[in-house]
Amino acid sequence: MADVIDIDNPADPRLDDFRDLNSSDRRPDLPDGKGLVIAEGVLVAQRLLSSRFAPISLLGVDRRLGELADDLRDVDAPFYRTSAEVMAEVVGFHLNRGVLAAAHRAPALDLDDVLTGARTVAVLEGVNDHENIGSMFRNAAGLGVDAVLFGDRCADPLYRRAVRVSMGHVLRVPFARVPEWPHGLQLLRDRGFQLISLTPNPKEPTLAEAMTGDRVALLLGAEGPGLSEYTMRRTDVRARIPMAPGTDSLNVATAAAMAFYERVRLG
Amino acid sequence: MADVIDIDNPADPRLDDFRDLNSSDRRPDLPDGKGLVIAEGVLVAQRLLSSRFAPISLLGVDRRLGELADDLRDVDAPFYRTSAEVMAEVVGFHLNRGVLAAAHRAPALDLDDVLTGARTVAVLEGVNDHENIGSMFRNAAGLGVDAVLFGDRCADPLYRRAVRVSMGHVLRVPFARVPEWPHGLQLLRDRGFQLISLTPNPKEPTLAEAMTGDRVALLLGAEGPGLSEYTMRRTDVRARIPMAPGTDSLNVATAAAMAFYERVRLG
């Protein structure tokens, strides 16, 4: 069981991992950033505690400690118990979820391991928005996508905002980096994945027409620019996300959800 | 052409419509709230200027004025030109989009008018989050949904955050209130709409199986509670949103997008 330690002084150095959470320079937003993984709220903290990310400590109010009692049974890290006021002073803003957990970044997963047994993977290029990354992981978990792979210029999936928006699913859905982007896509093709570039281009076949592989990799680019032509040329087929004429492209996480849905539908 | 008026003094009362935008009591979040409609950024301001909402004034930097020149040609409202610093002081936070437009709320649309010619409508109950409301309108526009209807306990679609997240589509996609919720659903049935309740219940038929009507109303409840049983009983069929076992329900705007997508797919 986690040791419960009462702390009343917001300046206590044991709380430093939770200090000034909004100060972005303390949470470097880089693929190799040194920032800790921060989970906010009971549900996400539970997911952190049952993940491959090793907890360092938790900070929260007594009520949340009670809600997490079962989850903390086999946890070594301390639970710093305090008041909502002290929490707000430490993190720098009012946090109405009442509990935070901090963990070390786990070592990156090996692409080969992530692909073993996977039938459906999402592959992202240039998705540089933490909310979109978080939403994609949540949608991936909800629609049975086995892994998320990163090409170039993507936001850090372990950044606090991405963790929160994903409802903690960035801590559960495996992810890995595709090396030497986009050439590394060949590693997926070698394993029998059909590589599908998603595009709003109305001239391309629909998702339902294009998605024929037993193993499928769905490539998604950022809202606006989409996938680079250079990357699309390295995929097997381009498939259209349906869209009403004259509107903007859909949010990239929404487009991804529709592709994931189509995959579930086609079985 | 809009009159261009230079203002250097942030205390100028002509800027009062843009003052302290974060102060929620000035933008009452109620279906019958008296708050103004505020558009942020060039794209959303353009959509406001071509909508049924009558602009009162715009506030922005010179560069944005240039970008909006065509859109302002037939506009009567003044454009208050100022610096980014004065803008920040007036609105109370740094606004990196550089232009705001304020408009009066237009009279609510008549449900009958909104339904005329519509083939697909979304009907919301208890969707009380502005971001979700905004996302749904964006998805509705992107996937050819003709209108959004509101049952009880929904957030105000004209609140600033909903306007922004929708990319201005709350100003374009018609919306109306269903009277005497949920009994008023009969008005849709009388017009030949098939009423479909969306649910995560794995025992229900899939969307593709259930969606058979020529005119379709897709009913969506809030994340978590979903539609009330009382409301679902007044619909023709319940249909399942696919979901991986053991995960949380999908975000309601994402679930809506999948239903809209299925409608496009089935034609």
Side-chain angles (χ1 to χ4, degrees):
Chain A
M1 173 73 192
D3 279 337
V4 177
I5 300 168
D6 287 304
I7 296 188
D8 296 329
N9 176 8
D12 192 309
R14 288 173 293 183
L15 305 184
D16 282 355
D17 288 340
F18 302 104
R19 208 170 295 287
D20 302 330
L21 286 183
N22 265 346
S23 154
S24 55
D25 54 342
R26 292 177 49 85
R27 307 276 156 210
D29 172 24
L30 292 166
D32 55 351
K34 298 292 175 286
L36 299 173
V37 179
I38 301 286
E40 301 167 272
V42 169
L43 176 68
V44 181
Q46 286 171 324
R47 287 182 175 160
L48 176 70
L49 294 173
S50 65
S51 77
R52 64 193 170 95
F53 298 89
I56 303 167
S57 61
L58 295 95
L59 170 65
V61 299
D62 187 61
R63 185 166 153 211
R64 299 297 176 232
L65 172 60
E67 291 167 7
L68 285 167
D70 283 352
D71 307 280
L72 290 169
R73 197 157 293 151
D74 300 319
V75 168
D76 247 350
F79 188 105
Y80 298 125
R81 180 166 54 186
T82 191
S83 65
E85 292 68 34
V86 170
M87 274 190 85
E89 199 165 328
V90 172
V91 306
F93 51 93
H94 186 73
L95 195 85
N96 55 21
R97 288 186 178 81
V99 67
L100 293 165
H104 291 295
R105 287 183 179 237
L109 297 176
D110 187 72
L111 180 59
D112 252 344
D113 294 341
V114 166
L115 292 178
T116 301
R119 278 193 68 234
T120 310
V121 299
V123 188
L124 313 184
E125 178 186 62
V127 180
N128 56 9
D129 176 278
H130 291 111
E131 264 189 66
N132 284 337
I133 294 277
S135 295
M136 287 217 209
F137 273 84
R138 182 179 177 188
N139 295 341
L143 293 161
V145 168
D146 301 301
V148 177
L149 306 181
F150 290 100
D152 280 354
R153 292 173 291 107
C154 289
D156 174 13
L158 295 177
Y159 187 71
R160 186 166 56 94
R161 189 182 182 76
V163 174
R164 183 178 66 232
V165 173
S166 80
M167 311 274 277
H169 286 296
V170 295
L171 308 172
R172 306 173 118 194
V173 176
F175 62 87
R177 175 159 287 278
V178 178
E180 297 177 55
W181 184 260
H183 306 287
L185 287 170
Q186 187 60 40
L187 298 168
L188 277 77
R189 189 177 281 112
D190 292 345
R191 278 157 192 77
F193 281 89
Q194 183 194 21
L195 303 177
I196 304 176
S197 287
L198 296 182
T199 162
N201 187 342
K203 293 185 182 145
E204 301 295 347
T206 65
L207 269 169
E209 290 161 352
M211 205 185 295
T212 56
D214 177 48
R215 308 186 88 180
V216 163
L218 299 160
L219 281 86
L220 291 137
E223 235 167 288
L227 289 166
S228 66
E229 181 62 28
Y230 191 69
T231 295
M232 286 202 279
R233 284 203 195 127
R234 278 161 182 80
T235 64
D236 299 312
V237 64
R238 302 178 192 201
R240 161 164 63 93
I241 297 275
M243 211 165 305
T247 60
D248 340 285
S249 61
L250 291 159
N251 170 283
V252 65
T254 304
M258 294 194 302
F260 302 166
Y261 168 77
E262 188 63 62
R263 177 69 169 157
V264 173
R265 198 185 63 79
L266 292 173
Chain B
M1 172 74 192
D3 278 339
V4 177
I5 300 168
D6 287 303
I7 296 188
D8 295 331
N9 177 8
D12 192 307
R14 289 173 292 183
L15 306 185
D16 282 354
D17 287 340
F18 302 105
R19 207 170 296 285
D20 301 330
L21 286 184
N22 266 347
S23 155
S24 54
D25 55 343
R26 290 178 52 85
R27 306 278 156 211
D29 171 24
L30 292 167
D32 54 352
K34 298 291 175 287
L36 298 173
V37 180
I38 301 286
E40 301 167 272
V42 168
L43 177 68
V44 181
Q46 285 171 325
R47 288 184 174 158
L48 176 70
L49 294 173
S50 65
S51 76
R52 64 192 171 97
F53 297 88
I56 304 167
S57 60
L58 295 96
L59 169 66
V61 299
D62 187 61
R63 185 166 153 210
R64 299 296 177 232
L65 172 61
E67 290 168 8
L68 285 167
D70 283 352
D71 307 278
L72 291 168
R73 196 157 297 150
D74 300 318
V75 168
D76 247 351
F79 187 105
Y80 299 124
R81 180 166 56 186
T82 189
S83 66
E85 293 68 33
V86 170
M87 274 190 85
E89 200 165 327
V90 172
V91 304
F93 51 92
H94 186 72
L95 194 88
N96 55 21
R97 290 187 177 81
V99 68
L100 292 165
H104 290 294
R105 286 183 180 235
L109 297 176
D110 186 71
L111 179 59
D112 251 345
D113 294 342
V114 166
L115 292 178
T116 300
R119 278 194 69 236
T120 310
V121 299
V123 188
L124 313 185
E125 178 187 62
V127 179
N128 55 9
D129 177 278
H130 292 110
E131 264 189 65
N132 284 337
I133 294 277
S135 294
M136 287 216 207
F137 272 85
R138 183 179 176 187
N139 295 340
L143 293 160
V145 168
D146 301 301
V148 177
L149 306 182
F150 290 99
D152 280 354
R153 294 173 291 108
C154 290
D156 174 13
L158 295 177
Y159 188 70
R160 185 166 58 92
R161 191 183 182 76
V163 174
R164 182 177 67 230
V165 173
S166 81
M167 313 273 280
H169 286 296
V170 294
L171 308 171
R172 307 173 117 194
V173 175
F175 62 88
R177 175 161 287 276
V178 178
E180 295 177 58
W181 184 260
H183 307 285
L185 286 170
Q186 187 61 40
L187 298 169
L188 279 77
R189 188 177 284 112
D190 292 345
R191 279 157 192 77
F193 280 89
Q194 183 195 20
L195 303 178
I196 305 177
S197 287
L198 296 182
T199 163
N201 188 343
K203 292 182 182 147
E204 301 295 347
T206 65
L207 270 169
E209 288 160 356
M211 206 185 294
T212 56
D214 178 47
R215 307 185 88 179
V216 163
L218 298 161
L219 280 84
L220 292 137
E223 237 167 288
L227 289 167
S228 67
E229 181 62 27
Y230 190 69
T231 295
M232 286 202 279
R233 284 203 195 127
R234 278 159 182 81
T235 63
D236 300 311
V237 64
R238 302 178 192 201
R240 162 165 61 94
I241 296 276
M243 212 165 304
T247 59
D248 339 284
S249 61
L250 292 160
N251 169 282
V252 63
T254 304
M258 294 195 302
F260 302 166
Y261 168 77
E262 188 62 64
R263 178 71 169 156
V264 172
R265 196 184 66 77
L266 293 173

